């Protein structure tokens, strides 16, 4: 039963993060990073490349969740460890990666 609950939680969360990546990749205006913030079009030199980089960043982050979700089918304890380490390390990596993306495409 714990595997079913694990998958009921992890698959939508993984899909949501992948969806954010796909949304960012296809967005016409610059994608933001922080909730409630915006990025002005005048700030970004190449909006499609900037959004593509943002999309790749989010899709890579979602990979940790997908791996953990499917690992949970076989080893729930290992899946939890992968998720915990991925989240704890992933959030600072996201912040650093976004900072580099923003610097690279800022006018």
């Amino acid at each position: 039963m714990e595997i079913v609950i694990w998958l009921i939680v992890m698959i939508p969360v993984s899909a949501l993060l992948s969806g954010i990546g796909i949304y960012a990749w296809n967005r016409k205006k610059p994608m933001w990073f922080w909730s409630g913030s915006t990025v002005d079009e005048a700030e970004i030199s190449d909006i499609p490349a900037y959004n593509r980089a943002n999309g790749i960043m989010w899709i890579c982050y979602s990979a940790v969740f997908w791996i953990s979700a499917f690992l949970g089918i076989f080893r729930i304890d290992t899946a939890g460890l992968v998720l915990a380490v991925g989240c704890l390390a992933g959030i600072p990596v996201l912040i650093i990666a976004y900072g580099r993306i923003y610097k690279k495409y800022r006018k």
Side-chain angles (χ1 to χ4, degrees):
M1 185 63 176
E2 66 185 10
I3 294 171
V4 173
I5 294 170
W6 179 260
L7 292 175
I8 287 172
V9 171
M10 291 303 298
I11 289 175
V13 169
S14 303
L16 175 67
L17 291 170
S18 295
I20 291 170
I22 293 166
Y23 175 76
W25 190 307
N26 293 316
R27 190 170 156 82
K28 301 297 180 211
K29 294 184 178 187
M31 182 67 178
W32 61 92
F33 182 71
W34 301 105
S35 177
S37 68
T38 58
V39 178
D40 189 23
E41 291 182 52
E43 294 178 57
I44 305 300
S45 61
D46 185 354
I47 294 171
Y50 168 81
N51 284 343
R52 191 175 326 107
N54 268 296
I56 291 169
M57 175 186 73
W58 283 107
I59 290 169
C60 289
Y61 185 59
S62 76
V64 171
F65 289 80
W66 284 113
I67 291 166
S68 182
F70 290 111
L71 188 57
I73 296 170
F74 308 104
R75 296 288 310 255
I76 196 81
D77 54 339
T78 305
L81 183 63
V82 167
L83 181 63
V85 170
C87 286
L88 288 173
I91 291 172
V93 169
L94 278 176
I95 294 167
I96 292 167
Y98 177 74
R100 289 182 178 173
I101 291 167
Y102 183 76
K103 278 185 186 177
K104 181 177 180 178
Y105 294 104
R106 184 178 57 194
K107 286 185 179 177

